[in-house]
Amino acid sequence: MLRAINDRVAIGALLREGPLTRADLGDVIGLSKPATAQLLVRLEQDGFLVREGVRGGSRGPRAQLWAVNGSVAYVAAVDLTPHGADFLIADVTGRAVGEQWTELPIEEGTDVVGAFAAALDAAATKAGIELGRLRQVVLGVPGALDPRTGRLESAPHLPGWSGFDLRAELERAIAPAVTVENDVNLVALREMAEGEGAALRDFVLVWLSEGVGGAVVLNRTLRRGASGSGGEIDWLRVPDPHAKGTTGTRWGDLVDSPAILALARTHGMSASTGWAAVGAAVEAGEGGREFLADLARRIAVGVANVVSVVDPEAVLLCGEVSRAGGTVLAELVATELHRLVVAATPVGLASVPGNAVRAGALQAALVAVHEDVFGLAPTASDVLHRSPSVHS
């Protein structure tokens, strides 16, 4: 048992730190030189570790570097949108070995599972591995997976992906284990690990892009709710600033890309996407200020509902619209928010670069496969794949 514990600690250290010499590894895990040497030989014989070059020094002999054998297992991280799927294939260390973007059907009545399986097979083949060598696939989707049925809900832009047990059907079609998770939840997971959320215990993530979404993190734990719909803030009912005497409207219909374009036109601006309009307004300076202030009021109305209930340490804006608006938009949202709620909650920007959904999916996949292959226990903020909303 002690040997198994030491092996897990050593593998965990090498996954975190990268290649280490025997001496460095011994210092990290607290073992003697002979015990560390025996551990390295044992794990090399088992196929878990490989020798990866040497590190030279100004004095003394050059030291052998040891690393986790990336080919022990592979994972796939996928960002599914109404326009297609962005695949990333990586080895067990997280090193990317292949990427591919594929257009997939979304219409009701189409074989979306078969199309996904074929696209995943093609992505794996392009990466130079067989589909059967994948141990875990994490799929980020713009919707919520109901833990009671396995069905994708709140996903009007993906009609063909709803109405059946999505995870179970995907696992029947492909060899690896499958996790289906809300895309913004995956962004929150990544943000907790390496972004602005790393220093926060409680925060709300607000996704502003073609569509709208959110994620709520309390005490470093992602909150999904009983039906998996926690964070679906686009469905909030809010007053419509342009429709007097109504019972309100869906908040997402006020701040998604089409709504932002319509708002921009009322200010004499035109663009191809909501984020392009916001970016142009930021560049215009005072000329775009009125439009941005109007948009900030719309955003703040929805965010205020969540802040009033959760009272988080911060609200983090993410997505293409948020990136285009930058600190200018974040500051305007903060000003409007503080007029609506008691708490003076800071409003900032999420900081994970690139495709944050796919990055979060990769992190979730690695957590799962590290536990499966190496027996490494996930931390409290990493248990996304163990949630009942994922494995019902």
Side-chain angles (χ1 to χ4, degrees):
M1 182 181 297
L2 183 59
R3 185 173 66 179
I5 291 172
N6 287 336
D7 289 352
R8 287 195 295 269
V9 171
I11 290 172
L14 289 167
L15 286 170
R16 289 192 310 272
E17 307 291 337
L20 295 172
T21 66
R22 176 194 55 74
D24 289 341
L25 180 61
D27 290 340
V28 171
I29 64 179
L31 288 181
S32 66
K33 291 181 180 179
T36 305
Q38 292 173 5
L39 177 149
L40 289 170
V41 171
R42 181 170 64 249
L43 291 177
E44 183 185 30
Q45 291 175 343
D46 291 341
F48 291 137
L49 298 186
V50 292
R51 303 177 189 230
E52 194 167 288
V54 294
R55 185 171 68 195
S58 58
R59 293 178 295 179
R62 298 201 297 172
Q64 176 69 56
L65 287 168
W66 297 82
V68 173
N69 182 3
S71 65
V72 167
Y74 293 89
V75 300
V78 190
D79 176 19
L80 176 66
T81 75
H83 306 291
D86 192 359
F87 292 85
L88 173 68
I89 309 296
D91 67 20
V92 76
T93 70
R95 182 181 65 90
V97 297
E99 299 179 69
Q100 180 165 302
W101 188 91
T102 304
E103 186 174 346
L104 292 177
I106 62 171
E107 298 81 10
E108 192 171 359
T110 56
D111 183 13
V112 297
V113 172
F116 180 85
L120 179 63
D121 191 14
T125 299
K126 182 179 178 181
I129 65 171
E130 296 179 357
L131 183 62
R133 298 191 67 189
L134 291 175
R135 292 287 288 266
Q136 181 76 28
V137 176
V138 175
L139 174 63
V141 296
L145 197 75
D146 191 325
R148 300 164 299 189
T149 64
R151 296 182 178 184
L152 184 64
E153 308 289 353
S154 305
H157 301 301
L158 296 172
W161 293 75
S162 303
F164 58 94
D165 190 333
L166 178 58
R167 184 183 63 82
E169 290 299 321
L170 288 173
E171 286 190 338
R172 271 193 281 269
I174 58 180
V178 176
T179 293
V180 181
E181 180 58 273
N182 172 263
D183 51 3
V184 188
N185 283 349
L186 290 172
V187 176
L189 176 71
R190 192 62 178 169
E191 194 67 26
M192 274 193 284
E194 293 189 355
E196 293 296 317
L200 300 172
R201 295 201 66 79
D202 308 315
F203 67 90
V204 171
L205 199 70
V206 179
W207 176 271
L208 300 169
S209 185
E210 184 171 1
V212 182
V216 176
V217 173
L218 297 178
N219 197 27
R220 303 292 296 172
T221 301
L222 192 62
R223 301 294 181 178
R224 295 180 184 78
S227 66
S229 296
E232 294 294 312
I233 57 178
D234 53 324
W235 293 90
L236 285 170
R237 303 297 295 186
V238 299
D240 187 337
H242 302 293
K244 305 298 182 182
T246 67
T247 58
T249 189
R250 179 174 169 267
W251 181 59
D253 292 337
L254 294 176
V255 292
D256 61 9
S257 185
I260 293 174
L261 287 175
L263 180 63
R265 286 192 292 270
T266 68
H267 289 272
M269 302 173 59
S270 63
S272 58
T273 63
W275 49 94
V278 170
V282 171
E283 291 182 5
E286 286 301 318
R289 192 78 172 186
E290 186 178 346
F291 160 63
L292 292 174
D294 205 353
L295 175 59
R297 280 189 287 273
R298 291 186 175 196
I299 296 171
V301 167
V303 173
N305 286 278
V306 182
V307 169
S308 295
V309 175
V310 175
D311 188 19
E313 293 177 75
V315 172
L316 300 178
L317 306 180
C318 61
E320 284 87 350
V321 170
S322 303
R323 284 197 292 268
T327 57
V328 173
L329 181 61
E331 289 171 1
L332 289 171
V333 171
T335 298
E336 297 299 330
L337 177 64
H338 299 159
R339 291 173 180 166
L340 299 173
V341 297
V342 174
T345 307
V347 178
L349 299 171
S351 58
V352 173
N355 188 330
V357 175
R358 202 180 68 172
L362 175 60
Q363 181 173 328
L366 291 174
V367 169
V369 80
H370 290 169
E371 184 179 14
D372 182 34
V373 175
F374 303 125
L376 299 179
T379 64
S381 61
D382 284 334
V383 295
L384 186 142
H385 69 291
R386 296 166 64 92
S387 166
S389 69
V390 178
H391 284 179
S392 53

